[in-house]
């Protein structure tokens, strides 16, 4: 069998149904094999879009996302998406074409050392040196990408090798890699110590992250949290793994988290970190982070434990397996639930005094926070929301109120502007029956707006809700607050006309400038067939609060512009 | 049960173990003998800001496996974090943080020193004391090979330096565990 056909067979054996990509010289054999293979291939318009679409697909479905690109510029265009998938632990497999073997190392046409270029950003990578490796490497790639802490795997296939003839037999045994043994269940002794420490805690808090989503452990988290009245906060990446409507939910923590969540961390005596990695956007000034707290750190990646913040009780394991053990051990201790009364009194006091708030508009102006609330109502809080990066992302995280996991798809670690639209393409392909809304910023959307053509041509009815404030708003906010309002290269100017742009792509374009019409216009956009771009003109210079100023501690959180010094 | 009874864990009794050992560590790493493995390890060290003091790579008794021996300063780098990051590389099979008391470590070095007729005897005497071998001689230079611990090699270097050290080449340490296991 031709090796390129064996590549298709191996992908099929891994359960692949959808592939995002663009052909080129070096992956012509792959695309030739694709003609007879039974995949849905989504022809994106830029490889970066293909990469983010694969990520959106993986985040929405929990399955491995797959993207193809050719050698050289095709492959380097994938690099941002690969780095993004690494930072957010997204199970993805990227298959790049490479120049013919005899050209490798000669600076051949469209040659780039993509293996070398992506070394810092991959969980693992392979370059095929013998065509018989192709099926084996595909299975290994899927195994590594999808198990343990998920991540991106690159498979680089020289053109000549994918044309070679090989014997192909479907693989029957599971993949075994001598140097790769992902953790599963936690150490029971450690779990018991954690339960006993929790039983003694007076001010505990559960700090949960994207690992809970990746582990599909939302139910287990809820069981654990409600085994007592443990307050729950989450990182940006973990939103939805604990329902926002739950009485134990404190809101997101971190730089733009709620006052209560951040002050709770600052005052806690015991923090249970679950699938979270103490990123600088969470800790703020590290030396002053959670000064009173002991740390229980549960993570599937041992290298995350004590990387940024030392763990008093480390537990390496899969949250889905460890949380039920922890719940059982904790319940067996039969603790007195009233011991958390004082803590909850303090927490609810903060919630009452420092809720998320904004100054409502006095006229028809659309406040960005109001736009998110309207979006919540129009989608009944049940859409899959992808987002770009910036203020709109933070407002969505604050105001949308995610009830379920895999409904909030954004670029957290790398903070990739332009992520939202291609990610929505992938999410809609994965979940065709769900409403998929891309909440975009105008600075971000332009970076990958070519994927509107993908939406139209491939009939992927994504709804883009553009929060258009005419600025790269978060950068503008920082320039205003920390750089004496010396605006530098943040205004977006009058271009493009988004409605006309949408129409030029063959999508529906709608504009909304009046808050009274917004919810209804959103409903219309959702009901309209095909892709829709809704250009919502919001307050131009609104700032996102509350905020922990960069390099400061949680207790320095500011809720009001007058407090920023 | 009353919260705070002795069988529960008192929070004030919980401590985080220190991250820095304060001494030199020799890591003996078995890796798959595949292209790019060294680049992965070197890249990991550079992007995480870990500084390698010495590095030696060679084959093992199994041709599909190579051994990388590297030394780094545990006063600067949290060794636990270094080894955990290394373990994440799929091509890394086994890492051993060699215990100093249970390890024999050796390094080879070659020194080229300028040697006049008058100084030659003294240099040869030093070489004998350090069990070093003269492996090349020219009219104005001598080249000496020495094997031993890094400390011994540095001591030998201090003896030779006053004679005019022209060039020094060191392999970096390799290490093996004492006794049987």
């Amino acid at each position: 069998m031709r090796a390129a056909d064996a590549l298709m067979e191996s992908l099929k054996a891994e359960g692949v149904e959808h592939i995002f990509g663009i052909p080129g010289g070096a992956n012509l054999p792959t695309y030739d094999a694709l003609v007879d293979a039974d995949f849905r291939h989504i022809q994106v318009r830029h490889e970066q879009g293909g990469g983010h679409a694969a990520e959106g697909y993986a985040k929405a479905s929990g399955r491995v996302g797959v993207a193809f690109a050719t050698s050289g510029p095709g492959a380097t265009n994938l690099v941002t998406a690969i780095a993004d998938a690494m930072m957010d632990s997204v199970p993805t497999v990227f298959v790049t074409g490479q120049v013919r073997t005899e050209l490798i190392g000669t600076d051949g046409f469209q040659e780039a050392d993509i293996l070398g270029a992506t070394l810092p950003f991959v969980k693992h990578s392979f370059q095929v040196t013998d065509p018989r490796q192709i099926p084996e490497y595909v299975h290994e790639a899927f195994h590594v990408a999808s198990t343990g802490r998920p991540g991106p795997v690159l498979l680089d296939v020289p053109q000549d090798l994918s044309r070679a003839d090989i014997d192909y037999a479907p693989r029957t045994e599971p993949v075994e890699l001598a140097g790769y043994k992902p953790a599963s269940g936690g150490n029971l002794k450690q779990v018991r110590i954690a339960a006993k420490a929790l039983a003694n805690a007076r001010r505990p808090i559960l700090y949960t992250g994207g690992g809970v989503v990746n582990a599909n452990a939302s139910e287990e988290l809820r069981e654990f949290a409600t085994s007592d009245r443990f307050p729950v906060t989450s990182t940006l990446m973990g939103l939805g793994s604990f329902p926002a409507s739950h009485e134990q939910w404190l809101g997101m923590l971190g730089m733009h988290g709620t006052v209560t969540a951040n002050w709770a961390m600052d005052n806690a005596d015991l923090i249970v970190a679950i699938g979270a990695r103490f990123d600088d956007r969470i800790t703020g000034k590290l030396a002053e982070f959670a000064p009173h707290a002991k740390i229980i750190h549960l993570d599937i990646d041992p290298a995350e434990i004590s990387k940024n913040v030392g763990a008093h009780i480390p537990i390496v394991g899969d949250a889905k397996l460890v949380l039920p053990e922890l719940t059982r051990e904790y319940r067996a201790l039969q603790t007195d639930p009233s011991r958390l009364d004082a803590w909850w009194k303090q927490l609810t006091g903060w919630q009452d005094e420092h809720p998320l708030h904004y100054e409502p508009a006095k006229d028809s102006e659309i406040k960005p926070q109001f736009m998110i609330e309207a979006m919540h109502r129009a989608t009944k809080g049940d859409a899959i929301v992808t987002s770009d990066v910036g203020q709109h992302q933070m407002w969505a995280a604050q105001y949308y109120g995610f009830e379920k996991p895999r409904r909030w798809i954004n670029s957290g670690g790398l903070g990739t502007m332009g992520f939202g639209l291609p990610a929505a393409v992938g999410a809609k392909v994965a979940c065709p029956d769900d409403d998929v809304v891309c909440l975009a910023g105008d600075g971000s959307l332009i970076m990958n707006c070519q994927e509107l053509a993908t939406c139209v041509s491939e009939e992927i009815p994504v709804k883009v809700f553009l929060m258009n404030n005419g600025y790269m708003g978060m950068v503008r906010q920082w320039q205003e607050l920390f750089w004496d309002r010396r605006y530098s290269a943040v205004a977006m100017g009058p271009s493009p006309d988004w409605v006309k742009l949408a129409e030029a792509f063959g999508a529906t374009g709608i504009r909304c400038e009046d808050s009274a019409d917004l919810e209804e216009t959103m409903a219309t956009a959702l009901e309209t067939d095909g892709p829709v771009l809704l250009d919502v003109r919001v307050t131009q210079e609104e700032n996102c609060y509350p905020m922990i100023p960069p390099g400061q501690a949680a207790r320095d959180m500011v809720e009001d512009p007058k407090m920023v010094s | 049960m009353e919260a705070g009874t002795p069988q529960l864990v008192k929070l004030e009794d919980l401590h985080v173990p220190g991250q820095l050992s304060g001494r030199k560590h020799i890591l003996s790493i078995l890796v798959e003998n595949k292209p790019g493995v060294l680049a992965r390890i070197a890249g990991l060290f550079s992007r995480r800001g870990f500084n390698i003091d010495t590095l030696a790579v060679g084959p093992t008794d199994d041709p599909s496996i190579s051994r990388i021996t590297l030394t780094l300063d545990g006063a600067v780098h949290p060794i636990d974090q270094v080894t955990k990051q290394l373990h994440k590389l799929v091509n890394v099979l086994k890492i051993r943080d060699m215990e100093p008391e249970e390890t024999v470590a050796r390094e080879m070095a070659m020194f080229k020193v300028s040697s006049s007729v008058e100084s030659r005897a003294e240099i040869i005497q030093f070489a004998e004391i350090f069990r070093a071998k003269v492996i090349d001689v020219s009219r104005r230079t001598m080249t000496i090979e020495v094997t031993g611990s890094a400390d011994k090699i540095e001591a030998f270097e201090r003896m030779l330096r006053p004679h005019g050290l022209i060039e020094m080449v060191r392999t970096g340490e390799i290490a093996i565990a004492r006794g049987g296991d």
Side-chain angles (χ1 to χ4, degrees):
Chain A
M1 184 187 284
R2 184 172 54 163
D5 295 308
L7 171 66
M8 299 300 137
E9 291 301 319
S10 315
L11 291 170
K12 246 179 259 173
E14 287 294 342
V16 173
E17 294 175 50
H18 304 92
I19 295 167
F20 305 88
I22 304 182
N27 66 356
L28 278 169
T30 305
Y31 271 83
D32 185 67
L34 198 61
V35 174
D36 299 322
D38 193 21
F39 297 119
R40 179 171 180 206
H41 176 268
I42 292 93
Q43 184 190 338
V44 293
R45 296 306 196 262
H46 188 290
E47 288 86 355
Q48 186 191 354
H52 292 321
E55 287 187 87
Y57 181 89
K59 288 189 182 201
S61 66
R63 302 169 64 186
V64 176
V66 182
F68 285 175
T70 191
S71 65
T76 55
N77 279 345
L78 273 181
V79 170
T80 302
I82 296 173
D84 193 273
M86 187 66 177
M87 287 289 261
D88 286 347
S89 308
V90 191
T92 38
V93 171
F94 298 94
V95 183
T96 48
Q98 183 53 275
V99 297
R100 297 196 307 277
T101 356
E102 80 261 23
L103 288 174
I104 292 177
T106 68
D107 304 320
F109 177 65
Q110 293 197 328
E111 183 189 1
D113 175 11
I114 194 62
L115 208 83
T118 56
L119 273 186
F121 311 125
V122 290
K123 187 171 174 192
H124 194 45
S125 51
F126 302 89
Q127 187 174 53
V128 175
T129 53
D130 179 327
R132 288 169 299 182
Q133 293 163 338
I134 289 177
E136 172 193 334
Y137 283 177
V138 168
H139 296 306
E140 291 178 4
F142 274 75
H143 177 62
V144 172
S146 60
T147 54
R149 179 180 182 174
V153 178
L154 176 83
L155 178 60
D156 195 33
V157 189
Q159 200 253 26
D160 54 326
L161 300 185
S162 57
R163 299 174 73 167
D165 213 34
I166 60 166
D167 290 330
Y168 173 76
R171 189 188 177 95
T172 44
E173 321 85 77
V175 175
E176 285 276 346
L177 289 166
Y180 179 72
K181 299 271 179 281
S184 52
N187 180 323
L188 194 58
K189 194 173 138 237
Q190 289 291 89
V191 171
R192 287 201 175 121
I193 294 172
K196 287 177 179 174
L198 264 168
N200 243 346
R202 300 301 166 122
R203 299 186 308 279
I205 182 169
L206 311 189
Y207 148 52
T208 66
V212 178
V213 179
N214 274 334
N216 296 311
S218 304
E219 278 306 310
E220 290 79 3
L221 171 64
R222 198 199 302 221
E223 277 293 305
F224 173 53
T226 54
S227 67
D228 203 326
R229 285 182 305 148
F230 296 131
V232 183
T233 182
S234 159
T235 67
L236 180 69
M237 300 312 294
L239 293 178
S241 53
F242 193 80
S245 58
H246 199 284
E247 57 178 13
Q248 285 165 240
W249 174 243
L250 303 183
M252 181 174 75
L253 84 166
M255 185 173 269
H256 291 288
T258 63
V259 171
T260 306
N262 282 314
W263 287 4
M265 291 290 279
D266 195 52
N267 284 271
D269 64 354
L270 185 64
I271 292 172
V272 188
I274 308 167
R277 59 186 178 87
F278 296 89
D279 172 81
D280 58 273
R281 286 296 191 264
I282 298 302
T283 61
K285 189 175 184 181
L286 204 54
E288 292 176 27
F289 172 70
H292 315 290
K294 306 290 179 171
I295 312 275
I296 298 171
H297 195 173
L298 162 56
D299 205 288
I300 198 159
D301 179 357
E304 284 305 338
I305 288 170
S306 298
K307 184 183 78 178
N308 296 337
V309 172
H312 299 79
I313 306 174
I315 306 174
V316 177
D318 181 341
K320 196 170 181 70
L321 303 176
V322 176
L323 285 174
E325 289 174 355
L326 188 53
T327 309
R328 194 177 52 240
E329 293 296 326
Y330 183 76
R331 284 209 172 113
L333 297 171
Q334 297 181 321
T335 51
D336 173 12
S338 69
R339 84 186 191 294
L340 300 184
D341 287 352
W343 182 222
W344 270 108
K345 191 161 174 260
Q346 186 157 43
L347 294 172
T348 48
W350 288 333
Q351 283 174 322
D352 292 343
E353 285 165 40
H354 306 276
L356 283 171
H357 64 279
Y358 64 94
E359 201 169 321
K362 291 178 188 69
D363 47 22
S364 63
E365 186 181 7
I366 302 172
K367 284 282 190 166
Q369 302 91 334
F370 176 83
M371 175 178 167
I372 305 293
E373 291 170 334
M375 194 172 104
H376 180 97
R377 291 191 295 270
T379 57
K380 301 179 181 61
D382 199 31
I384 294 176
V385 179
T386 73
S387 102
D388 284 311
V389 169
Q391 287 181 315
H392 65 284
Q393 176 191 27
M394 292 300 121
W395 280 315
Q398 291 175 336
Y399 287 93
Y400 190 81
F402 292 91
E403 293 291 312
K404 288 188 271 186
R406 301 194 181 281
R407 299 263 138 182
W408 168 237
I409 294 172
N410 78 132
S411 166
L414 196 65
T416 308
M417 290 173 70
F419 174 87
L421 177 58
V425 168
K428 186 67 183 174
V429 170
C431 306
D433 299 331
D434 288 299
D435 280 329
V436 175
V437 175
C438 166
L439 175 71
D442 50 328
S444 292
L445 184 60
I446 194 97
M447 292 189 180
N448 272 321
C449 65
Q450 78 283 346
E451 300 309 331
L452 279 170
T454 308
C455 295
V456 172
S457 304
E458 297 276 350
E459 298 181 351
I460 301 167
V462 161
K463 315 298 174 188
V464 181
F465 288 3
L466 172 61
M467 183 182 280
N468 187 349
N469 59 10
Y471 283 104
M472 284 200 275
M474 190 60 92
V475 185
R476 184 205 57 73
Q477 175 171 341
W478 281 49
Q479 288 179 349
E480 177 190 328
L481 299 179
F482 311 116
W483 298 85
D484 298 331
R485 208 171 186 276
R486 284 156 54 88
Y487 287 175
S488 179
V490 287
M492 296 304 293
S495 177
D497 180 324
W498 287 102
V499 171
K500 282 185 183 161
L501 186 77
E503 286 167 353
F505 277 114
T508 304
I510 310 172
R511 181 164 292 129
C512 183
E513 298 174 274
D514 187 330
S515 61
D517 302 336
L518 182 58
E519 197 179 321
E520 204 186 317
T521 314
M522 283 177 168
T524 307
L526 290 167
E527 283 156 18
T528 304
D529 287 337
V532 177
L533 193 160
L534 173 59
D535 176 16
V536 182
R537 300 298 177 91
V538 300
T539 313
Q540 287 217 308
E541 298 189 43
E542 181 80 4
N543 287 338
C544 183
Y545 291 109
M547 178 181 199
I548 302 174
Q552 295 195 35
R555 77 190 71 92
D556 304 322
M557 182 147 229
V558 290
E559 295 176 78
D560 181 293
K562 291 185 284 292
M563 291 165 66
V564 180
S565 53
Chain B
M1 185 195 303
E2 237 346 85
T5 51
Q7 79 170 96
L8 299 183
V9 173
K10 282 189 186 148
L11 297 189
E12 57 269 30
D13 293 342
L14 294 171
H15 300 285
V16 179
Q19 305 286 305
L20 298 176
S21 69
R23 64 170 172 87
K24 183 181 89 174
H25 286 253
I26 303 177
L27 299 185
S28 179
I29 307 165
L30 292 177
V31 300
E32 291 179 290
N33 182 13
K34 287 190 173 165
V37 173
L38 192 58
R40 284 178 206 273
I41 290 176
L44 169 67
F45 274 75
S46 72
R47 77 174 170 276
R48 297 267 174 202
F50 305 143
N51 190 28
I52 302 175
D53 290 337
T54 71
L55 174 75
V57 188
T60 62
D61 49 324
D62 178 346
S64 68
I65 295 174
S66 301
R67 183 188 303 277
I68 295 175
T69 309
L70 58 85
T71 61
L72 67 168
D73 188 352
V76 185
H77 304 303
I79 300 298
D80 194 41
Q81 177 63 210
V82 174
T83 56
K84 287 192 293 191
Q85 291 292 349
L86 280 168
H87 265 303
K88 286 171 73 168
L89 299 176
V90 174
N91 298 130
V92 170
L93 302 175
K94 197 176 172 195
I95 302 168
R96 199 155 160 185
D97 181 4
M98 306 296 280
E99 286 292 330
E101 282 78 39
E102 292 159 27
T103 302
V104 186
R106 289 290 180 272
E107 182 175 0
M108 194 182 101
M110 292 188 282
F111 296 94
K112 188 181 285 182
V113 283
S114 46
S115 60
S116 58
V117 177
E118 305 82 65
S119 66
R120 203 164 278 181
E122 193 184 32
I123 294 170
I124 291 171
Q125 213 172 12
F126 284 150
E128 277 171 10
I129 294 166
F130 281 86
R131 293 170 204 262
K133 274 194 294 193
V134 177
I135 54 173
D136 188 43
V137 183
S138 72
R139 276 178 44 209
R140 292 200 193 85
T141 69
M142 287 174 76
T143 303
I144 303 164
E145 171 200 315
V146 63
T147 305
S149 67
D151 287 347
K152 174 180 162 184
I153 286 169
E154 278 148 27
F156 189 51
E157 181 196 336
R158 281 195 297 276
M159 302 309 288
L160 293 183
R161 199 169 271 285
H163 290 283
L165 190 55
I166 297 167
E167 199 176 356
M168 173 179 83
V169 186
R170 293 174 62 168
T171 58
E173 278 184 300
I174 54 169
I176 198 162
R178 289 182 191 276
D181 80 9

